[in-house]
Amino acid sequence: VRALLRDLNERTHRDLSTKLADCMEAGQLPADLDADRVASLLVVLIMGLAHLETLAPTRIGDPQWIAFLESSVGDLLTRSAWKRG
């Protein structure tokens, strides 16, 4: 089971990193974004959100929380701190 979960996590990270790179090539994200690091952070964020019912159940379905998450991810994808180099 451990190997299956590790493979799933690696595949998820790789696919997300590839999608980010595709968006960079299409001009939808900054060309110098570090897709690998951003993919890692997004996977961690997604894993945390998967446990939201335990971590912060009152946030589920909260429109302000959803707007905050969307804005935060948008900021994350355009921050200079996530640039390669």
Side-chain angles (χ1 to χ4, degrees):
V1 171
R2 181 177 293 167
L4 289 173
L5 288 174
R6 185 181 58 245
D7 290 345
L8 174 63
N9 286 335
E10 289 173 0
R11 189 172 59 248
T12 299
H13 179 273
R14 184 179 56 249
D15 291 348
L16 186 52
S17 185
T18 299
K19 182 62 176 173
L20 290 167
D22 291 345
C23 290
M24 291 163 52
E25 288 179 24
Q28 297 169 325
L29 291 173
D32 56 353
L33 186 75
D34 188 331
D36 186 60
R37 284 195 316 163
V38 172
S40 294
L41 183 57
L42 289 173
V43 168
V44 169
L45 177 65
I46 292 165
M47 291 176 82
L49 288 172
H51 297 281
L52 194 59
E53 73 281 353
T54 301
L55 299 171
T58 60
R59 299 286 187 212
I60 296 173
D62 178 350
Q64 291 178 328
W65 172 248
I66 293 167
F68 173 72
L69 284 173
E70 291 171 347
S71 174
S72 297
V73 170
D75 290 345
L76 167 77
L77 294 173
T78 57
R79 287 187 63 174
S80 61
W82 294 105
K83 294 185 180 195
R84 287 178 284 186

